[in-house]
Amino acid sequence: MSDAEQENTASTRASQSKRQSGEDAYGRKKRKKTEKNERDLWEDTIRGYGRAFCRVGDMWTRASFVIGAGIGVYDDSEDDAESETDDADDDGVTSQTHKATKKPLGYDIWITSYDKLKKIYPDLERDLTSEKKKYATKSRIETLLQDGIKSARQADTSCIKTNLDHLFDFQPSIAKTNKVYLGFGNDQTGRLLTPVQLSWDSTEHRERLQKKLEEIKHDDLFVFMYEDQNCDLTALNKGLLRSNILVNAVLAILFGPSAVKCSEPGPSDAKAKKAGNADLGGITRVTPGLIAYAACLVRFALSSELQLTPGDGQGRGFDNCAFYRSLVSLLETPTSSPIRKNWRKELLSWWNAIFPKSIDDLPTRSAGSLSTMDQMLAQEAAEEREAGSEASGLTDRTNHGTL
């Protein structure tokens, strides 16, 4: 074989090798793309669970603490305590070196929140133990859930703050009022934020609130939380957590601001009917967590505070986390009181009776119902169909010689 032929043969083999290598590379690239799409879809789903968990489960607890408590990360101390009985002295006193460590502060909340998370994220425990998805690690799940919690809290805080003027009949409007001038610096928002044991109409009380001389506790009940902003101090649970501003806040969070903008020219039907957070998160009923969540966001929106923070628990600023926990406890903590049980039952029944199961159940006017012009066009279309039907029947009878 000549040198030229040898070079051609070598070139052919190299080309074939490149083609084969190219096919393999293309296949690998395609597989990686498929895997990436699957992973991206899975991650979006987990973030969605995090957003729903924030709204109806727990808005403040970190996902890593919730999962850690749920899978027994903090149970070692109890196991040690049980095994310590074998090492006890004859007098029954256990050696100090084996003294059990107490559960971390907040453990009971984390356990309760874990049960809520499992209802939202049905495959949680399977994903935590499965080895089929290499990317579905415990740390990754925790990170994605936390991303969802954070994004929901930020989005909903902005939604309530931006649309506050639509949640309540403010006269005059506060839509263009800078937030720093709200709170007790504004007559309307100050009245709504007044603890019910005080009176905004009292000059003394109002001045103490405005000058920050009055201590406001996280477990105070505020005027905005009551139906018609009316509280009977002899029956504090009457009308509590039934205010229109809270109802509108929940609608705005779950279905979008258009759900509460029905008295003015609004968006088109297509925009008003798009899937909201309720549909995306599979939220079909009102929970104690959702009511507390809405109350926390509304209180912040009414205030002059510029950022929603959990609070430091040291009295520096309002403790939003403690306020949220106090409401959840009011609605969830086991109680032997038949009055409290009945009040909770009636409250949740009231909420779920008015809660729309989907965006299609929302009462609408400008955004959802037919305008008079649309009704006229619909009537004309119906008349045309009827006239066309009569003409068709006349033609049939003519063809069959029945006339």
Side-chain angles (χ1 to χ4, degrees):
M1 183 179 297
S2 65
D3 293 340
E5 291 176 341
Q6 290 179 355
E7 289 179 1
N8 290 335
T9 302
S11 177
T12 301
R13 290 175 179 172
S15 298
Q16 292 175 348
S17 176
K18 286 182 179 180
R19 284 196 297 270
Q20 292 174 356
S21 176
E23 291 173 357
D24 292 341
Y26 174 77
R28 288 195 298 272
K29 185 177 180 180
K30 187 175 181 180
R31 285 194 297 273
K32 286 181 179 179
K33 185 176 181 180
T34 301
E35 291 174 358
K36 183 178 183 299
N37 291 340
E38 291 177 354
R39 176 171 180 167
D40 289 346
L41 179 61
W42 176 80
E43 290 188 346
D44 287 343
T45 301
I46 306 307
R47 289 191 188 95
Y49 290 147
R51 288 189 286 270
F53 178 65
C54 175
R55 290 170 176 131
V56 301
D58 192 328
M59 71 176 290
W60 289 117
T61 301
R62 293 192 63 83
S64 57
F65 296 159
V66 173
I67 291 179
I71 64 176
V73 169
Y74 307 106
D75 289 348
D76 293 341
S77 58
E78 283 191 352
D79 295 339
D80 293 342
E82 291 175 1
S83 64
E84 284 163 11
T85 55
D86 297 334
D87 299 328
D89 297 333
D90 292 339
D91 57 2
V93 178
T94 304
S95 172
Q96 290 293 321
T97 58
H98 296 286
K99 188 176 181 179
T101 305
K102 291 183 178 180
K103 290 284 174 43
L105 186 65
Y107 176 80
D108 292 339
I109 293 175
W110 303 342
I111 284 293
T112 302
S113 295
Y114 183 73
D115 291 335
K116 296 176 183 177
L117 180 58
K118 286 195 297 182
K119 293 178 181 178
I120 295 168
Y121 183 175
D123 296 330
L124 173 61
E125 294 184 335
R126 187 191 69 179
D127 284 352
L128 287 171
T129 57
S130 176
E131 297 181 356
K132 292 183 179 180
K133 302 174 183 176
K134 295 181 180 180
Y135 47 81
T137 63
K138 173 178 173 292
S139 62
R140 189 58 183 158
I141 290 173
E142 292 171 347
T143 298
L144 294 170
L145 287 172
Q146 193 61 41
D147 288 347
I149 293 171
K150 184 178 179 180
S151 67
R153 193 168 60 228
Q154 290 177 341
D156 295 340
T157 300
S158 177
C159 173
I160 299 302
K161 182 174 64 174
T162 304
N163 296 281
L164 181 62
D165 198 56
H166 297 288
L167 306 184
F168 186 78
D169 184 22
F170 290 102
Q171 298 294 337
S173 169
I174 62 170
K176 296 182 179 180
T177 305
N178 192 306
K179 197 176 190 310
V180 297
Y181 299 117
L182 296 181
F184 296 116
N186 180 282
D187 182 70
Q188 297 187 85
T189 56
R191 185 179 298 276
L192 292 174
L193 286 172
T194 300
V196 295
Q197 70 271 20
L198 303 177
S199 171
W200 183 254
D201 293 325
S202 166
T203 302
E204 179 187 356
H205 292 171
R206 184 169 63 252
E207 289 181 351
R208 285 182 60 82
L209 289 169
Q210 291 175 335
K211 294 178 181 179
K212 299 183 179 180
L213 299 176
E214 185 70 34
E215 181 185 10
I216 299 178
K217 297 182 179 180
H218 66 268
D219 54 356
D220 277 337
L221 301 175
F222 303 99
V223 170
F224 79 85
M225 299 163 65
Y226 280 83
E227 187 174 15
D228 298 326
Q229 294 71 58
N230 184 28
C231 171
D232 181 354
L233 293 178
T234 63
L236 287 170
N237 60 7
K238 183 179 180 181
L240 178 59
L241 299 175
R242 298 193 184 203
S243 64
N244 283 340
I245 194 170
L246 287 182
V247 172
N248 287 334
V250 169
L251 290 176
I253 290 168
L254 297 184
F255 300 101
S258 61
V260 294
K261 295 180 181 179
C262 298
S263 60
E264 61 181 42
S268 64
D269 286 355
K271 185 176 180 181
K273 295 293 184 179
K274 69 179 182 179
N277 293 322
D279 292 329
L280 296 174
I283 301 171
T284 59
R285 64 186 181 88
V286 175
T287 66
L290 179 57
I291 298 172
Y293 183 61
C296 192
L297 297 188
V298 168
R299 195 218 64 83
F300 167 73
L302 290 168
S303 75
S304 59
E305 300 161 17
L306 298 181
Q307 288 187 325
L308 176 67
T309 59
D312 59 10
Q314 304 298 320
R316 293 187 289 269
F318 188 78
D319 197 330
N320 288 293
C321 182
F323 174 58
Y324 173 80
R325 296 279 176 230
S326 69
L327 291 178
V328 172
S329 176
L330 179 70
L331 296 169
E332 285 188 347
T333 300
T335 178
S336 59
S337 169
I339 295 177
R340 174 69 61 81
K341 289 179 180 178
N342 188 57
W343 174 76
R344 289 174 175 175
K345 183 178 179 181
E346 289 181 352
L347 178 66
L348 290 175
S349 296
W350 180 85
W351 269 97
N352 284 296
I354 64 174
F355 178 73
K357 297 300 182 288
S358 72
I359 192 70
D360 294 322
D361 296 331
L362 285 171
T364 59
R365 172 59 180 90
S366 57
S369 62
L370 289 176
S371 66
T372 50
M373 179 67 74
D374 289 334
Q375 292 177 33
M376 182 185 71
L377 295 175
Q379 291 171 0
E380 291 176 353
E383 291 176 2
E384 290 175 358
R385 286 195 299 272
E386 184 178 352
S389 177
E390 291 178 355
S392 176
L394 178 62
T395 301
D396 291 340
R397 288 193 297 273
T398 302
N399 291 338
H400 288 83
T402 57
L403 289 180

